[in-house]
Amino acid sequence: MFIKRAGAVLLGAVTVTAVGTAAPAAATPSNDSVLIWYDATAAAITAGGATTQVTNGRTWAIGWLAAARAQKGSHANAYQRAALAGAVHQTLITLTPTQAAAADTVLAADLDTIPDGPAKDRGLAAGRDEAADLIAERAGDGLDPASVNTPYPVPAAAPGIWQPTPPAYAPATQYGNRVARPFALRGAGQYRPAPPPALGSARYQRDIAEVKAYGAANSTVRTQAQTDTATFWLGSSYVLYTPILRAAVEQSRGPVAERTRLVALFHVASVDTQIATSDAKYAYQLWRPVTAIRAGGDAEWLPLHATPAHPDYPSGHNTYSGSAEQILTELVGPKARGAYTIPSPTAPGVTRTYTDWKVPSRENVDARVWSGIHTRSADEAGIKLGKDVAANTIRNARALLAG
């Protein structure tokens, strides 16, 4: 009954619309440098980014943190816009080199709208210098794709211990994240969550029973609305949250520097969160529901959606969601300034409309259970871990922005 009530609440809080194609981003004013470079960063990473989500988050964090640092040099609008352009452009041509020509085009067009003068020249130079310095500072941080996916020595099969999952039985991913260098955390395990429920405990048994019933490929109790939610939130957290953050930036009434800091701190927090997530996943090595359910006697059980290749606890989708919710709540407020609409790569032609940052987190918690790929304990621990790491980012914002 709890699950059905939760689904009803969520459906009352979000508008779901089927459309012919995913809605594009709203037209960007020619003098809104923040949205211009936001869209340029997203486009460069989509077209020429890394194969690993955290590496792409690192590109965002470097470019926008460098811009925020450079903007301290002057409050003049021309300076701050030029500093943003210089920092993000320098980052994109360095870290997404195949997209350099496109970045050059954006730079030329944006600079044409900034009044000529010393402020523009100094801002552009400062942005480039800060980006170059931060790229050098982050060299060897362990967030390149090869380091992120360092091979994981799978332990011997035992109750509760992660094993490769059907149907692909693919090698584990993101094992190397746990030893990467964070931006603001003292260490990857600084906010490691408490252990998952013990095997055989009442909470563990409820968790597994819920996934078995509601997350099965052939579930007879999961509603169509629950299936739709699971499918909508199945895709990459980075892809799903890029339009959410964009909506917050677009709706903001703040100056260029304030909006730049929002983007920078959002992605610093997301990178640190993903490092903390892998630390916890590989510290606890908890098996996935499909492994547990099959070991419990239902040898043919399969989830609605294929299980990602890493341990269950905590849920990475939910750590990302918790981090995003916390940053947006602290820097923007608990509510959006207007409704915002996002598409999903795994639900083509469908959009969802929200008015706050909390409902996406709540949907993510349910979605991973209804997909059959996480326990609810893993989802809830993920939300808390993401919020803890993001709060740490905010507490360290002054030092991060000072460089």
Side-chain angles (χ1 to χ4, degrees), residues 45-60:
I45 288 174
T46 298
T51 55
T52 42
Q53 177 173 283
V54 71
T55 311
N56 293 325
R58 174 186 184 270
T59 298
W60 277 94

Side-chain angles (χ1 to χ4, degrees), residues 190-345:
Q190 184 175 348
Y191 296 100
R192 185 183 294 173
L199 301 189
S201 67
R203 177 62 196 264
Y204 173 81
Q205 291 175 337
R206 288 198 305 272
D207 278 347
I208 294 300
E210 180 184 19
V211 179
K212 184 176 180 180
Y214 286 88
N218 60 353
S219 172
T220 58
V221 294
R222 185 181 60 245
T223 67
Q224 185 60 52
Q226 291 167 344
T227 300
D228 292 345
T229 295
T231 301
F232 189 89
W233 286 101
L234 180 64
S236 155
S237 294
Y238 162 74
V239 173
L240 285 158
Y241 269 91
T242 293
I244 294 178
L245 176 58
R246 189 189 192 281
V249 172
E250 184 177 18
Q251 293 176 8
S252 172
R253 303 184 184 96
V256 170
E258 180 180 302
R259 298 161 80 206
T260 300
R261 288 193 296 270
L262 171 60
V263 178
L265 294 174
F266 182 100
H267 287 98
V268 165
S270 80
V271 170
D272 278 9
T273 294
Q274 290 170 80
I275 292 171
T277 300
S278 289
D279 165 79
K281 280 181 178 289
Y282 288 101
Y284 294 122
Q285 301 181 344
L286 183 65
W287 60 6
R288 287 283 186 157
V290 63
T291 310
I293 291 167
R294 287 180 168 218
D298 193 343
E300 301 301 317
W301 190 91
L302 284 172
L304 172 64
H305 295 126
T307 302
H310 39 73
D312 181 59
Y313 186 90
S315 159
H317 259 55
N318 282 288
T319 60
Y320 199 108
S321 188
S323 173
E325 180 189 340
Q326 187 72 19
I327 290 290
L328 292 169
T329 298
E330 292 207 33
L331 298 184
V332 178
K335 298 283 188 181
R337 290 199 168 96
Y340 62 92
T341 299
I342 65 170
S344 167

Side-chain angles (χ1 to χ4, degrees), residues 15 40 44 68 152 190 247 285 339 359 361 364 391:
T15 300
Y152 170 61
Q190 184 175 348
Q285 301 181 344
V359 170
S361 292
N364 251 315

